[in-house]
Amino acid sequence: MNEPLSGLTLLVLDDEPLLRKQISAHLERLGADVMQVADVAGARRLAADFDFDFAFLDVNLPDGLGTDLLKEKVFRPATGVIVMTANGGIGGAVEAMRLGAIDYLVKPFDPAELPLVVRRAQHSRQSARAIEHRQSKPDDDGFFFGSALGGVHTQLDKILAADRRMGEHLPPVLIVGETGTGKSTIARWLHRNGPRAGQELVEVNCSALPENLAESELFGHERGAFTDAKSARLGLFEAASGGSLFLDELPSLSPGLQAKVLTAIEDAKIRRVGGNKAISVDARIIAATNRDLKAAVAAKEFREDLYHRLDLYRVVIPPLRDRGEDVLKLAGRLITATCRRHRVSEKRISKPGSARMLAYLWPGNVRELMHEIERAVVFEEGSELDFPHLSGAAASGSASLPATEWFNPAFRYPADGFSLDQAIDRLVKRALEQTDGNVSGAARLLGVTRDYVRYRMDGGKRVDG
């Protein structure tokens, strides 16, 4: 049974017994815990003892005005107040909104309106909380995929097509790539082009969350849950409900929090710190990592069950060094945008600059490319950019290495392992590029059979005949 208000605690203040019971009964059928009271004094006592998610307040009551409770700031800041007023009392409703109410209902009203009003109020609270984690987003509407990221684009289109078929309760997406490859940008692109584009995208860098505050930040807390919890606080899962929650560097969370994230994904419910009620959430999870999660699972540093739950939709972003000529095309777009931002004449990459860019390994990926372009546009004179800094970058690139030498002397195997398969694929791809796609020519360069080259081209699947 669908209970859209499950987990919410509501207060109904009205001196008309029949209407008060009618409203309360309807809200309870929708899954809410409801407390009802007939006067301002009773509401004041309940507000002192309980944390309400929302309060429905009549205006004119036997012992005062419901709006007096707003003036007195009786309710916690996290409580959403909805005013109920009779025809002709719109002026009181406007005053209530000025005092902090987030919506109003005009009596008589159809009880079927109640869940719609609560949903509007929830969205208002979510938006206020989400603003705290809204990132400064670059204008990435023209995100450059290029030929090298054609497979990524195809995978994203498949995810969006599946999303449109499913509608609600969208499965998580896992984005994998080295630092600086554009995982955050891809997450924004996916949200902006998906069915939840009109809702909030809440972004959080899990590695930046202090261990002692991470649970409260993600799942919220109730008043008194810990020493500094002066009032209840909405968590980021709740703030993103109906929209998307981007969890960057998810593996940095502790195993205990990873378990809670898994529960939130599987049950679509969370429990605030210090709370005892389950709160329904419907946040589309987009997780990102620069780590090999299989290796992290093997090392007992990431939960295997969470890994399998996240791995339904996986998007792998290749590093910039594997994107070939697309590096120059992307650089050209970034140069145009940077020149426009700094209000300088359009610049282009010189031939020596192009050679340096193609030879460099870009350990910092797109983020490093953006930095180098900014530096070149600001400091290099003339209309052509040479990128001389890349010539002496032997420690992180290959610009100073002879073209016949494959390994960079500064190369070190990463602590989390090295993929020999990917290295072989790069060698095969480079040979095919050099022979303009001629399989026989590539096989001769590599000293292998044509069948082996086809095998690698087919993603490691066996090719018969």
Side-chain angles (χ1 to χ4, degrees):
M1 181 179 178
N2 184 27
E3 296 184 332
L5 304 187
S6 176
L8 297 180
T9 300
L10 310 181
L11 173 67
V12 175
L13 167 59
D14 199 297
D15 63 333
E16 298 179 37
L18 184 60
L19 179 59
R20 185 175 69 248
K21 291 178 181 178
Q22 183 184 26
I23 293 172
S24 299
H26 192 84
L27 292 171
E28 286 171 348
R29 282 196 296 272
L30 295 171
D33 294 325
V34 182
M35 295 185 184
Q36 47 181 299
V37 68
D39 52 40
V40 173
R44 194 179 285 116
R45 287 193 299 271
L46 287 175
D49 294 331
F50 297 94
D51 288 331
F52 294 103
D53 293 291
F54 298 98
F56 290 82
L57 307 183
D58 191 13
V59 175
N60 295 301
L61 294 152
D63 58 343
L65 300 175
T67 50
D68 289 343
L69 300 172
L70 288 167
K71 291 178 182 177
E72 298 168 16
K73 300 186 183 301
V74 165
F75 298 106
R76 317 279 180 254
T79 300
V81 175
I82 299 157
V83 171
M84 302 180 294
T85 183
N87 279 319
I90 299 300
V94 172
E95 172 66 8
M97 301 285 280
R98 189 185 67 79
L99 292 171
I102 55 180
D103 210 338
Y104 68 90
L105 285 162
V106 177
K107 297 179 182 179
F109 55 81
D110 184 346
E113 293 181 51
L114 293 170
L116 300 177
V117 173
V118 172
R119 184 61 198 141
R120 281 202 307 267
Q122 282 181 308
H123 187 264
S124 175
R125 291 203 311 168
Q126 287 174 298
S127 297
R129 181 71 172 95
I131 286 172
E132 300 174 26
H133 272 262
R134 187 172 291 158
Q135 305 296 315
S136 175
K137 302 178 182 64
D139 181 10
D140 52 17
D141 285 341
F143 181 78
F144 179 72
F145 287 95
S147 59
L149 294 186
V152 172
H153 202 174
T154 299
Q155 175 70 356
L156 292 172
D157 284 341
K158 289 180 179 177
I159 292 172
L160 293 178
D163 286 351
R164 285 188 285 270
R165 289 195 301 270
M166 297 182 68
E168 297 182 355
H169 306 299
L170 305 180
V173 176
L174 176 62
I175 303 175
V176 180
E178 294 180 6
T179 298
T181 49
K183 298 187 293 294
S184 298
T185 305
I186 288 292
R188 294 173 194 142
W189 187 96
L190 185 63
H191 174 80
R192 189 178 60 248
N193 289 278
R196 300 190 173 197
Q199 304 300 320
E200 292 289 348
L201 169 64
V202 178
E203 302 181 39
V204 56
N205 185 343
C206 296
S207 64
L209 294 177
E211 178 68 26
N212 61 330
L213 296 178
E215 183 177 4
S216 170
E217 192 70 9
L218 292 173
F219 302 105
H221 62 252
E222 300 291 359
R223 183 171 68 102
F226 46 85
T227 303
D228 294 327
K230 305 298 183 184
S231 62
R233 181 173 172 80
L234 206 68
L236 296 180
F237 269 85
E238 287 180 80
S241 191
S244 303
L245 177 60
F246 176 47
L247 298 174
D248 198 9
E249 302 307 336
L250 179 60
S252 63
L253 295 180
S254 68
L257 277 182
Q258 290 176 24
K260 289 180 181 293
V261 169
L262 175 63
T263 300
I265 294 173
E266 292 189 331
D267 298 345
K269 292 181 179 179
I270 59 100
R271 199 181 302 274
R272 293 177 184 167
V273 177
N276 55 14
K277 62 182 179 182
I279 300 172
S280 296
V281 293
D282 179 22
R284 190 323 147 61
I285 303 300
I286 306 175
T289 180
N290 61 6
R291 299 185 60 187
D292 180 343
L293 288 189
K294 282 188 177 179
V297 168
K300 307 296 184 185
E301 295 171 352
F302 195 74
R303 291 183 63 97
E304 185 174 7
D305 47 7
L306 179 55
Y307 167 69
H308 291 305
R309 191 66 186 85
L310 293 173
D311 202 37
L312 177 62
Y313 291 160
R314 188 200 307 178
V315 179
V316 180
I317 308 177
L320 193 58
R321 62 180 172 273
D322 287 348
R323 300 187 197 176
E325 296 283 335
D326 277 359
V327 172
L328 299 180
K329 297 174 184 177
L330 174 58
R333 293 167 66 97
L334 293 173
I335 288 169
T336 297
T338 304
C339 289
R340 187 180 299 122
R341 188 171 68 252
H342 288 287
R343 299 180 181 178
V344 300
S345 300
E346 181 74 20
K347 296 175 183 283
R348 61 181 181 275
I349 308 172
S350 67
K351 284 188 176 180
S354 295
R356 292 183 181 113
M357 285 194 133
L358 289 174
Y360 188 57
L361 289 182
W362 299 107
N365 292 292
V366 178
R367 190 174 296 148
E368 183 182 9
L369 175 64
M370 294 172 67
H371 170 76
E372 288 295 338
I373 286 172
E374 182 108 28
R375 177 161 61 178
V377 167
V378 172
F379 292 109
E380 288 192 43
E381 298 179 0
S383 60
E384 291 194 332
L385 303 176
D386 293 326
F387 298 96
H389 292 90
L390 300 183
S391 296
S396 54
S398 60
S400 63
L401 298 178
T404 55
E405 187 172 354
W406 171 251
F407 286 109
N408 186 326
F411 177 81
R412 294 291 182 272
Y413 287 98
D416 56 352
F418 175 82
S419 173
L420 184 59
D421 254 1
Q422 290 180 9
I424 293 172
D425 285 341
R426 286 180 60 197
L427 283 166
V428 173
K429 180 181 176 183
R430 180 66 62 87
L432 286 165
E433 289 172 350
Q434 190 171 322
T435 60
D436 294 324
N438 186 294
V439 174
S440 296
R444 282 194 299 272
L445 291 177
L446 294 165
V448 297
T449 66
R450 289 177 298 170
D451 283 346
Y452 183 79
V453 174
R454 292 194 186 100
Y455 170 80
R456 301 306 305 193
M457 291 170 64
D458 199 39
K461 298 176 183 176
R462 182 172 298 281
V463 178
D464 296 323

